[in-house]
Every structure is written in structure tokens, then in C-alpha cells.
């Protein structure tokens, strides 16, 4: 039995109140800086860069844009350039050089409606192959963009004619372990989860978790698909073992109810893919660890391989806000350091201890 002191502790290190609604906060790679993106009261978009100095947050730069900014990623940029890709309320995808942020280095009207979610791969030394950005929108489409190709997406996943368009809430890259293979996972408001194979340009797998899918994330983008976590509206999340796909049953999964409120996001620890944090609609954070089963696959009655799900253990939980925590980002450089933002118009820097002992 681990005593309370031996368990990881989640410590609120710095808290900063902001004068706008913040939707996303991301660490700037290889720095002690992070960027917050959101919506000012006058209806414009804002990006603020903060640096941690002597236990305080110093505002380094503030950038105002015409449209509110919903989401952002550094996933498709090099460590040298550190360009930020953002999706806004107007359906535009912009890539910014934060040193000279007046005009985007790449801009495209990606969707007819708000860009709900964005992810990048092929940058920061994570994932083989070309740098690509995926966007998911309220217009029901999921599009993959190459910043080197103007105006047209390299892939467009949309409902067929006559099919109802579902609001796409979340997108994530995975399976980018060589130059050819790459997958996109998308989650929708009706509980659908779809995995698109970008190598074969086909739908690889789909399921429905009976509740709006708020966030999906692979435990690692740059490995042969290992695990996928999907979070939903009423406090339940699912962990799918992606190593063994059964022809009819699909992937094995385990589900856990964290609390009654929405799980807004899930983020895996960059230094340990079996540890992840979920953020809740009541201002709470839950730290989890996935334990693998003794055997990850077994034969069914027809001698076909099927996956075996593991178990999920709660390591620690804490309430840091009264409002939903809409975003969380682990520092890629410093284990246990993370930044989270919530709808109480605050950003918080947290330290999670003892992660190397669990």
C-alpha cells in the first residue's frame, strides 16, 4: 500500500487571472514560456505569451487578432521555428511566427464554421514524415493540411451526400511511426469515434461511446498505435488498446467514470505514456495510470486474435477551480510541470511530484 505522502501530489504553483476567456494554453517548446489563446470581451481574438521568472508569471507579449482563437498546436513546426498553428471562430487556420506575429506565415479558410480542435504531427522531432495539421469543425468535416501546400487540404473526411453532419469536437494524430503510416482520430458530438487511415485514405475503424466525445488522444503520436483515450460529456472516459484489432469486435477497451461532470480534456505525460491527466467540468484534475494485463491479446472461439484491456488506477485528484478546466498541457521539457486554463478566466501552472516513482 502506498501512503498518502508517497503518491504524486498536484501542487498549484502559480495562478494568474486574465481579462478574457481562455480556450487553450500551450508550452512553447524548449522554453519556460507558454501561450494562452482566447476571446476578448469585445469579440476579438487574443494570444498572450507568459514566461515563468522567479516563481512569477511575466507577460512577454500580447497579440490581438480579428477573430476569437479556439485552439492551437506546435505539433507541425520545427524546434528552430516554433510556429504556432491556430484555429479560430471564423473557420480559418493560421500559422504564426510568434516573433513577427503581424501576418500569418500560412493562412487558409479551412472550414465554413468554427474550428473546434487542431493537432499537428511531423514537427518537434515527433512523428516521421511530412509536417501536417489536422482540423475538426462544427461543419462536420475533418481536414488534413500541409503548410507547404496552399489552399487545398491533403485529405478531407466529410459525411457523404444526404448524411447528417455531426459537430466534430476533437481530432488527434497517431500511428506516425514511419514515413508512410499515419492516422487521424476524430470524436463527434453524438458519441462517434472514427479513425481515418491517411496512408490508404480509408476509414479504419469506428465506434460509438453513447455520449458526446470531448477529447481523444493517442498515448504517443510517433509509435505503432498503442493506446487511445476518449473522454465524454458525463464524466466517463474510455481507454482502447490499439495493438490488436478484431475483425468484428474492434479494439478492446476499459471505461472509468471519473466524476459526474464533463471530462474536457485528456493529456498523456510526455515522459511516461501510461500516465495521463483528465480535466473536469467542475474544476477538477484527475491523474491516472494504465496497467497492462498479463497478456494483451488472446484467441477467440474462431482462433482469431482479440485484444485484452488493462485497468486504470487513480493516482491523485485535486480541485483547482470552480469552473471547467478547458485545456491542459504538460511541459515536454520538465517532467511534472503543466499549465492549465479554465473558464474562471485564469491560467495556472501546476507541479505534479513523484511521477518517476509510480
Amino acid at each position: 500500500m502506498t501512503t498518502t505522502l508517497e503518491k504524486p501530489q498536484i501542487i498549484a504553483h502559480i495562478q494568474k487571472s486574465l481579462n478574457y476567456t481562455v480556450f487553450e494554453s500551450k508550452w512553447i517548446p524548449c522554453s519556460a514560456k507558454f501561450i494562452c489563446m482566447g476571446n476578448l470581451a469585445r469579440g476579438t481574438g487574443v494570444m498572450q505569451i507568459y514566461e515563468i521568472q522567479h516563481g512569477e508569471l511575466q507577460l512577454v507579449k500580447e497579440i490581438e487578432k480579428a477573430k476569437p482563437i479556439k485552439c492551437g498546436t506546435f505539433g507541425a513546426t520545427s524546434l528552430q521555428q516554433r510556429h504556432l498553428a491556430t484555429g479560430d471562430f471564423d473557420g480559418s487556420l493560421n500559422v504564426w511566427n510568434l516573433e513577427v506575429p503581424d501576418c500569418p506565415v500560412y493562412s487558409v479558410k479551412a472550414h465554413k464554421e468554427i474550428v473546434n480542435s487542431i493537432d499537428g504531427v511531423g514537427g518537434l522531432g515527433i512523428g516521421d514524415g511530412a509536417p501536417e495539421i489536422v482540423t475538426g469543425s462544427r461543419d462536420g468535416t475533418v481536414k488534413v493540411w500541409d503548410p507547404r501546400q496552399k489552399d487545398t487540404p491533403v485529405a478531407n473526411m466529410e459525411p457523404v451526400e444526404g448524411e447528417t453532419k455531426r459537430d466534430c469536437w476533437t481530432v488527434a494524430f497517431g500511428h506516425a511511426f514511419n514515413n508512410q503510416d499515419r492516422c487521424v482520430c476524430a470524436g463527434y458530438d453524438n458519441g462517434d469515434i472514427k479513425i481515418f487511415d491517411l496512408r490508404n485514405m480509408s476509414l479504419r475503424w469506428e465506434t460509438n461511446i453513447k455520449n458526446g466525445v470531448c477529447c481523444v488522444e493517442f498515448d504517443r503520436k510517433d509509435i505503432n498505435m498503442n493506446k487511445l483515450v476518449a473522454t465524454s460529456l458525463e464524466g466517463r472516459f474510455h481507454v482502447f488498446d490499439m495493438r490488436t484489432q478484431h475483425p468484428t469486435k474492434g479494439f478492446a477497451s476499459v471505461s472509468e467514470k471519473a466524476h459526474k461532470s464533463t471530462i474536457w480534456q485528456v493529456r498523456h505525460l510526455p515522459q511516461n505514456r501510461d500516465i495521463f491527466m483528465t480535466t473536469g467540468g467542475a474544476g477538477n484534475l484527475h491523474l491516472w495510470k494504465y496497467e497492462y494485463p498479463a497478456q494483451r491479446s488472446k484467441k477467440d472461439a474462431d482462433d482469431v486474435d482479440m485484444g485484452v484491456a488493462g485497468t486504470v488506477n487513480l493516482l491523485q485528484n485535486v480541485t483547482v477551480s470552480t469552473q471547467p478546466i478547458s485545456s491542459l498541457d504538460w511541459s515536454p521539457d520538465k517532467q511534472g510541470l503543466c499549465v492549465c486554463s479554465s473558464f474562471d478566466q485564469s491560467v495556472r501552472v501546476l507541479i505534479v511530484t513523484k511521477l518517476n516513482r509510480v
Side-chain angles (χ1 to χ4, degrees), residues 11 24 49 52 77 101 136 163 190 194 215 217 233 264 284 306 312 323 327 338 343 356 358:
I11 300 158
E24 182 115 75
I49 298 173
I52 301 174
T77 185
E163 215 177 45
N190 63 340
K194 298 177 192 269
C215 186
E217 190 181 63
L233 282 178
W264 280 75
N284 39 14
M306 62 186 286
V312 178
Q323 299 294 319
S327 93
C338 65
F343 288 149
N356 54 342
V358 293

Side-chain angles (χ1 to χ4, degrees), residues 160-263:
V160 291
E161 275 298 317
E163 215 177 45
T164 52
K165 285 184 164 64
R166 303 305 319 198
D167 191 342
C168 177
W169 281 352
T170 172
V171 288
F173 274 117
H175 203 51
F177 66 100
N178 60 28
N179 285 335
Q180 287 82 39
D181 285 281
R182 194 167 280 183
C183 283
V184 164
C185 182
Y188 299 83
D189 66 340
N190 63 340
D192 280 349
I193 298 173
K194 298 177 192 269
I195 291 187
F196 304 99
D197 188 327
L198 296 181
R199 182 177 186 172
N200 302 323
M201 287 297 176
S202 63
L203 180 66
R204 177 165 175 167
W205 173 74
E206 62 180 324
T207 190
N208 187 288
I209 61 169
K210 310 274 191 297
N211 232 320
V213 184
C214 301
C215 186
V216 292
E217 190 181 63
F218 290 96
D219 59 355
R220 288 286 180 270
K221 293 178 194 180
D222 55 348
I223 58 171
N224 192 355
M225 276 195 292
N226 185 50
K227 296 196 306 294
L228 172 78
V229 177
T231 74
S232 71
L233 282 178
E234 289 179 16
R236 187 170 284 282
F237 68 89
H238 300 253
V239 186
F240 296 90
D241 187 311
M242 307 301 288
R243 280 288 153 94
T244 313
Q245 186 173 1
H246 189 272
T248 55
K249 294 189 175 85
F251 298 105
S253 71
V254 58
S255 79
E256 186 79 35
K257 193 163 172 76
H259 41 71
K260 289 190 177 131
S261 58
T262 297
I263 304 183

Side-chain angles (χ1 to χ4, degrees), residues 69 84-88 92-96 104-108 118 133:
I69 296 166
L84 176 73
T86 62
D88 68 21
S92 297
L93 162 65
N94 294 303
V95 179
W96 308 96
V105 291
Y106 175 87
S107 182
V108 65
I118 192 168
I133 297 161

Side-chain angles (χ1 to χ4, degrees), residues 106 108 110 135 142-146 149-156:
Y106 175 87
V108 65
T135 54
V142 174
K143 296 180 183 177
V144 179
W145 308 88
D146 187 326
Q149 179 178 308
K150 202 86 177 105
D151 296 337
T152 49
V154 290
N156 182 4

Side-chain angles (χ1 to χ4, degrees), residues 14-39:
I14 312 169
Q15 178 177 340
K16 177 95 174 163
S17 291
L18 307 172
N19 64 343
Y20 59 93
T21 303
V22 57
F23 291 115
E24 182 115 75
S25 36
K26 289 275 178 200
W27 289 102
I28 299 174
C30 304
S31 77
K33 300 188 185 88
F34 61 85
I35 185 161
C36 297
M37 295 154 264
N39 180 9

Side-chain angles (χ1 to χ4, degrees), residues 36 47-49 51 62 73 88 99 111 122 208 256 309 312:
C36 297
M47 295 184 277
Q48 281 188 331
I49 298 173
E51 184 168 18
E62 181 168 330
T73 180
D88 68 21
E99 301 290 325
H111 296 275
N208 187 288
E256 186 79 35
V312 178

